[in-house]
Amino acid sequence: MSAAARLIPPATLAGLANLELLARVVVEGSLIGLHRSPRFGFSQEFAEYRPYAPGDDPRFIDWNVFARADRTFVKRFFGDTNTRLTVLLDTSASMGMPAVPGAVAKFDYARFLAAAFIYLAARQHDAVGLCAFAGAVHVQRPPSARARATQALYHLLDELRPGGAARWPALFEHAAARLGKRGLTVLISDCLCEPEALGAGLRALAARGHDLLVLQVLDPDERQPRLGDGTLVEDVETGATMAVSVADLQEAYPRRLADHVQQIRQSVLAAGGHHQLMFCDEPLDRSLSAYLRFRERHP
């Protein structure tokens, strides 16, 4: 399969039956040609056997050993890391922006990303958890490698709806107190916040030994707004309003957006993390590539 064929438009993925199926399509397509490379953690070189445990992928059971010894073992390969992954998903009102033609809604795109990371972690036998937040943390599932726990995460993602205002200090205080052992933390958000607040929270997690990946998700309309002259815009989280003009949109806005993204990126880098900007009309594969590079540096 060519690289172009694997890059499925998000609007096409939105028509799939459920989040787990969507995640499987994205991940398996992205890993074609990559999973044989040890540097990505997907080496197929045999390492050892270990006893089967509930939640293990039955595809790795060695049935020949079972036939001889009447005991169930799974194969382990070089590259298995058993990492703890926690997905922090922003469910604030700003994530509820409706879709533009050729894209999916921003919150749906963020959920697609979260589902793909959950599937990828489960595929690697990593423990994976979810923390969804807006005004307060309203969903918290600690990392688990059990298949039933992974299935529950897909159901939770499907039920989530955006609303409320993000409270970044409260989020990171909550996360720092409950994430426990060091692991990988993936934040999926539009990052429409003060860069200093985001950076302070990320540094607190980094100080506890967590490796950080921030996926900043923006809608195409946020890249290039389609508003008429003399438009009054409203902040969906605070209710504050501002009058804007065509001149502002054409000249000042792109510069301000670029400055904000750069400040967010610098805040993430200062905490030792990795930043990836995504737009909702772009294939999700880019985020997985960023994650694999991230895993390469943080085994």
Side-chain angles (χ1 to χ4, degrees):
M1 182 183 296
S2 69
R6 296 197 303 270
L7 300 179
I8 304 174
T12 301
L13 290 170
L16 296 179
N18 57 58
L19 285 175
E20 184 178 6
L21 175 60
L22 180 148
R24 182 181 299 117
V25 170
V26 172
V27 172
E28 299 296 343
S30 299
L31 296 181
I32 291 176
L34 295 179
H35 67 285
R36 297 183 181 87
S37 173
R39 69 189 184 92
F40 285 113
F42 290 94
S43 170
Q44 296 301 296
E45 184 179 352
F46 174 74
E48 63 180 1
Y49 288 104
R50 67 166 174 77
Y52 175 84
D56 286 337
D57 192 329
R59 291 177 299 175
F60 296 114
I61 294 176
D62 192 314
W63 297 108
N64 291 327
V65 172
F66 176 78
R68 294 194 303 268
D70 197 29
R71 297 181 62 188
T72 308
F73 289 87
V74 295
K75 295 179 179 180
R76 288 174 59 87
F77 301 93
F78 290 113
D80 288 345
T81 57
N82 294 320
T83 296
R84 291 165 55 89
L85 170 66
T86 302
V87 177
L88 305 181
L89 179 62
D90 185 354
T91 66
S92 61
S94 68
M95 296 291 290
M97 190 169 185
V100 301
V104 298
K106 181 162 62 171
F107 188 65
D108 287 337
Y109 191 89
R111 288 194 296 181
F112 294 173
L113 286 173
F117 281 107
I118 290 169
Y119 181 86
L120 182 57
R123 190 182 187 277
Q124 284 298 98
H125 310 290
D126 290 341
V128 58
L130 175 69
C131 177
F133 65 95
V137 174
H138 54 87
V139 169
Q140 173 74 55
R141 295 293 184 272
S144 172
R146 302 177 68 177
R148 183 174 298 180
T150 302
Q151 289 296 320
L153 295 183
Y154 294 124
H155 292 301
L156 286 172
L157 285 175
D158 199 44
E159 295 170 356
L160 290 172
R161 297 294 182 270
R167 295 170 51 198
W168 293 95
L171 161 69
F172 288 116
E173 289 173 8
H174 179 96
R178 290 167 175 80
L179 287 184
K181 294 186 295 185
R182 62 170 297 170
L184 300 178
T185 301
V186 176
L187 171 63
I188 304 174
S189 170
D190 53 16
C191 297
L192 298 180
C193 61
E194 291 297 329
E196 295 80 5
L198 178 67
L202 292 176
R203 289 193 298 274
L205 291 182
R208 291 174 175 259
H210 294 278
D211 298 314
L212 307 167
L213 172 62
V214 176
L215 300 178
Q216 184 176 8
V217 177
L218 295 178
D219 187 88
D221 256 1
E222 291 172 313
R223 176 176 54 200
Q224 189 173 4
R226 300 175 299 162
L227 301 175
D229 194 16
T231 300
L232 188 70
V233 296
E234 179 181 353
D235 186 321
V236 294
E237 295 188 8
T238 67
T241 59
M242 176 184 297
V244 297
S245 66
V246 171
D248 288 333
L249 294 177
Q250 292 179 343
E251 299 175 11
Y253 176 82
R255 183 177 65 253
R256 292 178 180 175
L257 177 63
D259 288 344
H260 178 75
V261 171
Q262 181 60 24
Q263 290 177 42
I264 293 293
R265 179 178 288 111
Q266 291 300 324
S267 295
V268 175
L269 294 177
H274 179 83
H275 173 271
Q276 179 75 42
L277 177 64
M278 305 287 296
F279 287 97
C280 299
D281 55 351
E282 297 178 335
L284 281 72
D285 306 62
R286 289 184 56 228
S287 67
L288 296 179
S289 297
Y291 177 75
L292 293 173
R293 292 193 300 269
F294 181 70
R295 286 288 299 270
E296 182 183 2
R297 293 194 300 271
H298 302 84

